[in-house]
Amino acid sequence: MTAPGLPSGGGCRTAPVIKERGQREVFCGLTGIVWLHRKMQDAFFLVVGSRTCAHLLQAAAGVMIFAEPRFGTAILEEGDLAGMADAHEELDREVAKLLSRRPDIRQLFLVGSCPSEVIKIDLSKAAERLSQRFAPRVRVLNYSGSGIETTFTEGEDACLASMVPVLPRTEARELLVVGALPDVVEDQMVGLLEAMGIGPIRLLPARRIDDETAVGPNTVFALAQPFLGETHAALLRRGARHLAAPFPFGEEGTTAWLAAIAREFGVDAETFERVTAAPRARARKAVAAAARTLSGKTVFFLPDSQLEIPLARFLARECGMTPVEVASPYIHDAIHGPDLDLLPAGPRIAEGQDVDLQLDRVRADRPDLTVCGLGLANPLEAEGLSTKWAIELVFTPVHFYEQAGDLAALFARPLRRKALLKLEAAE
Amino acid sequence: MKLSVWTYEGPPHVGAMRIATAMKGLHYVLHAPQGDTYADLLFTMIERRNHRPPVSYTTFQARDLGADTAGLFKTACRDAVARFDPQAIIVGASCTAELIQDDPGGMSETMGFSIPVIPLELPSYQRKENYGCDETFYRLCRALARPQDRTPRITCNILGGTALGFRHRDDIREITGLLADMGIEVNVSAPLDATPADLARLPAAHFNVLLYPETAETAARWLEREHGQPFTKTIPIGVGATRDFVAEVQKITGLGTRPDETHLRMPWWSASVDSTYLTGKRVFLFGDGTHVMAMARVARDEMGFEVVGMGCYNREQARALRKCAEGYGVEALITDDYLEVEEAIERLAPEMILGTQMERHIGKRLGIPCAVISAPVHVQDFPARYSPVMGFEGANVLFDTLVHPLVMGLEEHLLAMFREDFEFHDDAGASHHGHKAKARTEESARPPERADEQPAAESSFDIVWLPAAEKELKKIPFFVRGKARRNTETFAARKGVREISVDTLYEAKAHYAR
């Protein structure tokens, strides 16, 4: 149960951070709905916004939009902008219609957008009012997924943070794991922790509203995702204690994450070794296969999801890559610190973005692999750069031991493809 | 407020992006919050463009509100002009920026750029994507087109091609070739691949070919009024419409040359006996007004289908479509709510749907074959191969497009029908000639319970099938049995009949017969 060794040349925790402001090529927090609604099976996400918001969800959800998804947009019309009074009546009417059509819905999230924030529709008041009206069957909560306040995965953070104040109180000493993970990954995680004798394990978000997630002064919580700053703060406010750890990407990250929890719950070294030895060996073997392609290559992360720092750490330490720039939309010392400690010194660390200036640096560096959004990926490929589009890292199971090989393969595949394709005419 | 999951059209600033991205040498400075850059990926992914759309966003955040969003806008303008060196810029606001009232037009005009600055007013809470295209292109023409002499030879402009347009790339190539056959050169094709300098030359052409009224009709009308250029009204989709289009162009120009029809195969394909089974196939059409109206003619007059319903999502075309629908004896459905479209399709129970990406999924859900004829479309409808829908090659493409889902449908029925056959069962192996084929055992030979043979009680709460009728129903081939059951029950419910007898079954059959 030893902590991973710190890099010999020092980590990046104290490295100077390039802080940029300018045009940002990022998603807004509404996008979080696309994966959150699948995790929370009895929840509906109602965005109060414009046609742009509906169009964004459609573009982000792709074909998922046709599978009776549990999200939608109440599109503001001209009349809604004129008088504030009936915006609430309109919303109540749409919600009543929705809930009568979907009796299976137990939690309704009113999700704020840029337009609703700018005209200051009080969605928290609306949530309170609607909660009373539809209690006890439906709980109505509110959070903002607007672009002016949230970037991409921060939408999940805002959603979970809105749930924290209404979670039941408990005095029990329990572990709470925070962050939506694919079911298969969540099951693996719970399996590993239970095998060490840790339990009961509470999850936020739970799959259903009736699954018992409670919080109190004896709760300790671990974050499974690095973008949960607000939720972190909300849990501290309820007296819970955070277990700082690197994020569970790769063999090393997963081991360090599990070890932090094992230490807290007094698991002995022998038990830890017995539970983790076999999956660690499997993970190392699987990563090694992809690392053959990745080793010695340079990688550039554009800001997207806040997963960039832990992923750069994984690629640098376990796959032999050299990060040249690691940019994140936000860097939070209490959350990203342990991964920054482990990330070998060298790369530029950047927070925020001015996309044109950053692209100038990409072109100057000509990295072997650029991790970026879909708006930039094809244009950079056309300039001869290999890219890995970042959104896939949020949707695909990538955490913990069994997915470590898949995670490395996601980065190796574009490089292997580039080597395989011979499309140039013979000279 | 209106609850919506699927939107046929994006907001109007996406329409303006479609114009900016279609053109070269033009840049769009869009006052918009962080996150609105999502629209870039429509162009880089769906259309697979190899460059970023020429759009600079101010991407303001909450902390900028109340401070200096106007300053952000000016900086973005200055940076865009310095970095991209465009011939002209368009400036405007997205839906959120519309609410904070910074007036991009006013600000940019005072900044003293040496290039034309064209402000856009796009009301995001009233209008949509197609309006955004049409209005932007009109504003560009107004600002840039200069009075000038006509070209010595007869030339025309092709108007309406945009980025993210359904088959625009190949339609323009096809129509350019068709016009060349007639001895007519294209002066400017715009907005697709045109520069602001090209737009200045628009009035040199003798007339305009308006390919997509959705995106360029206002500009075409303005050019007619201001520069005396007539524009074509026929949309050359299908054989008949293409020939009408040729006649219209001949009338405008006085030229008599006809285009080459050597490679037009569609009429013979449709006349050949193999196509007889297409006769009277009941089709439902939905999409943008232009494509629906044009395709209705193809469906009825060139494929021999029966049009049982048609509609469009863009209300700009509502009047024309209503009138067109009258000619087919059906009522037009004007809606942007896909649930209404789904309801109409369910009610009309067509044998084929011609629609958008959304109707493709409705078709999948209802088990009805579907071909995509209009935007919004997904990545697979921006094909690598040449696939126009206009002109004579377009007609060839359409025949294949419309027939394939049906052939596939027939294939599927046949495979299902023979699945229980002693030679074709699942264990038979790849070839029934091979010695590996195993005879069916008594156990596996028993036909499996089919989902559509569930007791009637499940699908209708108070309608009862009498045993004789139930027995008669079993005689109907199983692949149409489900439909027969559904039709009979619908018929019975409408007539207020509680018990379905053999007579009810055949009355229903007669009712739905054509």
Side-chain angles (χ1 to χ4, degrees):
Chain A
M1 230 193 298
T2 49
L6 296 180
S8 55
C12 290
R13 195 158 187 169
T14 54
V17 176
I18 306 170
K19 294 202 178 189
E20 278 184 325
R21 292 191 60 184
Q23 181 180 325
R24 299 177 72 148
E25 186 85 17
V26 289
F27 280 126
C28 66
L30 294 182
T31 334
I33 292 170
V34 176
W35 66 86
L36 275 175
H37 86 281
R38 298 184 65 201
K39 188 72 207 171
M40 298 157 76
Q41 295 162 15
D42 52 7
F44 192 101
F45 294 81
L46 179 63
V47 177
V48 180
S50 64
R51 177 167 301 281
T52 311
C53 306
H55 197 236
L56 158 85
L57 283 177
Q58 182 169 316
V63 292
M64 215 190 282
I65 200 126
F66 303 108
E68 286 272 338
R70 280 173 286 99
F71 60 80
T73 310
I75 295 182
L76 294 166
E77 290 166 329
E78 221 195 353
D80 300 307
L81 304 178
M84 292 306 303
D86 57 26
H88 287 276
E89 272 170 42
E90 294 262 310
L91 185 61
D92 288 8
R93 191 194 63 220
E94 289 301 326
V95 166
K97 207 156 72 181
L98 170 70
L99 290 177
S100 69
R101 211 159 63 191
R102 298 296 297 269
D104 51 322
I105 300 304
R106 301 282 316 281
Q107 317 182 58
L108 176 68
F109 289 95
L110 301 178
V111 188
S113 66
C114 300
S116 75
E117 306 273 307
V118 167
I119 62 172
K120 298 193 166 43
I121 298 184
D122 191 344
L123 290 181
S124 68
K125 196 167 268 172
E128 244 171 68
R129 185 179 65 241
L130 289 163
S131 257
Q132 280 168 8
R133 181 166 159 199
F134 292 101
R137 185 168 69 86
V138 185
R139 180 174 76 190
V140 185
L141 292 175
N142 141 257
Y143 72 89
S144 168
S146 71
I148 56 177
E149 292 183 339
T150 58
T151 304
F152 194 28
T153 47
E154 278 187 285
E156 173 173 335
D157 187 27
C159 172
L160 300 189
S162 79
M163 298 169 76
V164 172
V166 297
L167 289 178
R169 185 183 164 83
T170 175
E171 297 299 322
R173 177 172 154 76
E174 284 178 345
L175 173 66
L176 176 65
V177 180
V178 190
L181 293 172
D183 288 354
V184 53
V185 176
E186 194 173 274
D187 293 344
Q188 287 168 16
M189 173 196 71
V190 170
L192 286 164
L193 291 169
E194 282 179 345
M196 291 182 216
I198 300 167
I201 298 151
R202 307 299 186 192
L203 302 169
L204 180 67
R207 293 183 201 182
R208 305 190 153 272
I209 192 171
D210 295 328
D211 295 346
E212 284 169 22
T213 300
V215 66
N218 296 312
T219 303
V220 287
F221 69 93
L223 300 180
Q225 300 279 24
F227 41 74
L228 298 171
E230 286 299 315
T231 312
H232 172 267
L235 286 166
L236 295 185
R237 279 198 291 276
R238 298 236 10 210
R241 187 157 52 82
H242 176 218
L243 293 177
F247 287 93
F249 297 112
E251 181 268 322
E252 199 182 55
T254 306
T255 304
W257 190 87
L258 289 170
I261 296 168
R263 262 195 306 279
E264 170 71 23
F265 284 85
V267 176
D268 61 77
E270 197 187 320
T271 308
F272 188 82
E273 182 62 20
R274 176 174 51 75
V275 172
T276 59
R280 286 178 76 170
R282 276 201 300 273
R284 272 197 300 268
K285 192 174 162 209
V287 171
R292 278 196 291 276
T293 310
L294 297 173
S295 185
K297 303 283 199 316
T298 55
V299 58
F300 193 121
F301 279 90
L302 277 83
D304 197 55
S305 61
Q306 299 183 48
L307 294 168
E308 296 84 5
I309 290 169
L311 289 175
R313 182 263 300 155
F314 164 71
L315 291 176
R317 293 177 63 110
E318 297 183 48
C319 302
M321 295 191 88
T322 308
V324 289
E325 176 164 331
V326 183
S328 176
Y330 292 104
I331 299 175
H332 188 309
D333 187 66
I335 296 174
H336 300 110
D339 278 298
L340 282 168
D341 279 337
L342 295 175
L343 179 63
R348 296 184 295 267
I349 307 293
E351 187 181 21
Q353 185 177 39
D354 183 325
V355 71
D356 286 313
L357 296 181
Q358 193 166 41
L359 287 173
D360 288 343
R361 295 202 295 275
V362 170
R363 291 178 186 121
D365 289 338
R366 293 207 66 84
D368 295 309
L369 190 65
T370 305
V371 184
C372 62
L374 287 173
L376 298 172
N378 270 336
L380 288 175
E381 290 279 349
E383 292 182 27
L385 292 160
S386 286
T387 62
K388 167 74 216 113
W389 44 283
I391 303 152
E392 197 178 8
L393 300 160
V394 178
F395 288 96
T396 315
V398 291
H399 295 69
F400 293 94
Y401 292 129
E402 312 306 341
Q403 284 68 238
D406 303 341
L407 175 59
L410 285 180
F411 293 97
R413 196 171 301 130
L415 296 176
R416 283 175 45 224
R417 183 166 183 78
K418 184 154 209 163
L420 270 172
L421 292 182
K422 293 180 178 62
L423 294 168
E424 307 301 321
E427 304 257 328
Chain B
M1 275 178 217
K2 183 162 176 16
L3 184 62
S4 150
V5 176
W6 169 264
T7 62
Y8 283 98
E9 290 182 74
H13 73 259
V14 168
M17 284 182 73
R18 286 176 55 188
I19 303 298
T21 308
M23 290 181 60
K24 296 178 181 0
L26 179 72
H27 202 86
Y28 184 17
V29 182
L30 179 61
H31 204 16
Q34 165 176 276
D36 278 4
T37 52
Y38 81 88
D40 280 0
L41 68 89
L42 303 172
F43 301 92
T44 60
M45 297 307 291
I46 295 180
E47 207 177 6
R48 260 186 262 249
R49 289 202 170 244
N50 62 3
H51 59 88
R52 293 169 65 205
V55 183
S56 293
Y57 304 81
T58 53
T59 56
F60 56 84
Q61 293 174 269
R63 60 184 172 199
D64 304 317
L65 293 176
D68 193 20
T69 50
L72 278 180
F73 177 80
K74 286 185 184 168
T75 310
C77 268
R78 216 171 284 124
D79 288 354
V81 171
R83 177 175 282 269
F84 300 104
D85 190 25
Q87 295 174 16
I89 57 171
I90 48 178
V91 299
S94 81
C95 52
T96 304
E98 193 181 329
L99 299 171
I100 60 176
Q101 297 173 336
D102 273 338
D103 186 22
M107 283 192 285
S108 53
E109 273 163 9
T110 61
M111 290 178 68
F113 292 120
S114 57
I115 51 169
V117 175
I118 300 138
L120 301 173
E121 291 289 340
L122 301 173
S124 312
Y125 298 90
Q126 294 155 287
R127 311 304 293 262
K128 294 180 231 167
E129 180 177 329
N130 279 329
Y131 172 84
C133 287
D134 186 72
E135 172 70 10
T136 304
F137 185 50
Y138 162 62
R139 291 287 158 194
L140 280 164
C141 291
R142 263 192 82 111
L144 300 170
R146 293 279 158 266
Q148 57 204 284
D149 293 337
R150 298 276 193 255
T151 54
R153 299 186 53 186
I154 294 186
T155 59
C156 69
N157 301 312
I158 296 184
L159 303 183
T162 65
L164 276 184
F166 176 65
R167 307 292 167 87
H168 287 194
R169 177 195 70 194
D170 297 341
D171 282 349
I172 288 170
R173 185 174 139 197
E174 185 66 20
I175 296 305
T176 303
L178 186 109
L179 291 163
D181 277 1
M182 300 174 69
I184 299 164
E185 268 175 46
V186 174
N187 176 51
V188 173
S189 174
L192 193 58
D193 295 329
T195 62
D198 292 333
L199 297 192
R201 297 190 292 113
L202 282 171
H206 292 240
F207 69 106
N208 288 316
V209 169
L210 175 61
L211 285 192
Y212 308 101
E214 269 83 1
T215 54
E217 187 165 346
T218 307
R221 288 190 185 285
W222 179 81
L223 286 165
E224 183 178 54
R225 207 166 52 237
E226 213 59 31
H227 296 278
Q229 291 172 319
F231 66 92
T232 55
K233 312 291 189 298
T234 316
I235 308 302
I237 294 178
V239 181
T242 301
R243 287 178 181 151
D244 288 354
F245 171 81
V246 167
E248 194 183 356
V249 170
Q250 284 175 331
K251 202 169 156 215
I252 291 174
T253 59
L255 294 173
T257 322
R258 292 195 54 80
D260 179 21
E261 290 193 13
T262 324
H263 301 290
L264 174 62
R265 286 174 286 270
M266 192 276 187
W268 164 241
W269 250 244
S270 192
S272 75
V273 292
D274 199 39
S275 300
T276 312
Y277 83 103
L278 300 175
T279 313
K281 285 269 180 211
R282 309 169 73 250
V283 296
F284 178 86
L285 300 105
F286 198 83
D288 68 53
T290 297
H291 282 89
V292 165
M293 287 186 278
M295 286 303 296
R297 177 170 175 189
V298 174
R300 186 183 65 184
D301 298 347
E302 299 174 18
M303 300 295 287
F305 296 157
E306 181 194 350
V307 174
V308 296
M310 61 198 290
C312 72
Y313 57 77
N314 51 336
R315 64 172 183 214
E316 290 88 350
Q317 299 277 340
R319 188 180 299 173
L321 190 89
R322 282 206 184 90
K323 194 153 168 269
C324 173
E326 270 173 33
Y328 290 85
V330 297
E331 203 180 319
L333 174 68
I334 314 293
T335 180
D336 61 355
D337 182 347
Y338 76 98
L339 292 172
E340 277 183 44
V341 180
E342 187 173 63
E343 193 269 324
I345 292 174
E346 250 170 321
R347 183 166 40 80
L348 294 165
E351 287 160 283
M352 184 179 200
I353 306 167
L354 306 182
T356 71
Q357 206 47 226
M358 189 54 198
E359 283 69 44
R360 196 167 66 79
H361 284 269
I362 293 173
K364 204 183 263 178
R365 207 174 71 75
L366 299 174
I368 303 171
C370 178
V372 172
I373 57 155
S374 158
V377 291
H378 211 0
V379 60
Q380 67 268 33
D381 273 300
F382 283 92
R385 65 178 185 279
Y386 183 57
S387 21
V389 295
M390 292 186 173
F392 295 130
E393 183 57 24
N396 293 338
V397 168
L398 282 178
F399 181 85
D400 291 347
T401 309
L402 266 53
V403 161
H404 279 178
L406 291 173
V407 172
M408 299 309 279
L410 191 65
E411 217 169 72
E412 212 170 277
H413 280 326
L414 289 174
L415 286 175
M417 184 156 71
F418 290 128
R419 193 172 56 193
E420 312 308 334
D421 192 286
F422 71 97
E423 286 177 305
F424 289 101
H425 59 94
D426 286 346
D427 299 331
S431 162
H432 66 282
H433 297 301
H435 56 275
K436 271 162 105 183
K438 286 178 277 180
R440 288 168 75 90
T441 61
E442 201 52 32
E443 180 64 23
S444 64
R446 208 178 305 135
E449 276 290 310
R450 292 185 57 85
D452 59 14
E453 291 184 50
Q454 291 303 305
E458 230 174 68
S459 49
S460 56
F461 39 95
D462 58 354
I463 289 179
V464 181
W465 284 74
L466 296 172
E470 190 79 49
K471 209 172 149 194
E472 197 69 15
L473 184 69
K474 292 260 160 68
K475 294 177 192 165
I476 298 172
F478 68 81
F479 56 90
V480 287
R481 203 178 298 154
K483 191 174 169 193
R485 181 189 285 280
R486 212 167 43 238
N487 281 353
T488 310
E489 286 171 4
T490 314
F491 177 78
R494 204 176 293 157
K495 295 270 165 190
V497 176
R498 290 283 173 98
E499 292 183 336
I500 295 177
S501 65
V502 176
D503 283 343
T504 323
L505 181 65
Y506 283 115
E507 273 165 28
K509 185 171 186 292
H511 176 80
Y512 287 105
R514 39 159 210 272

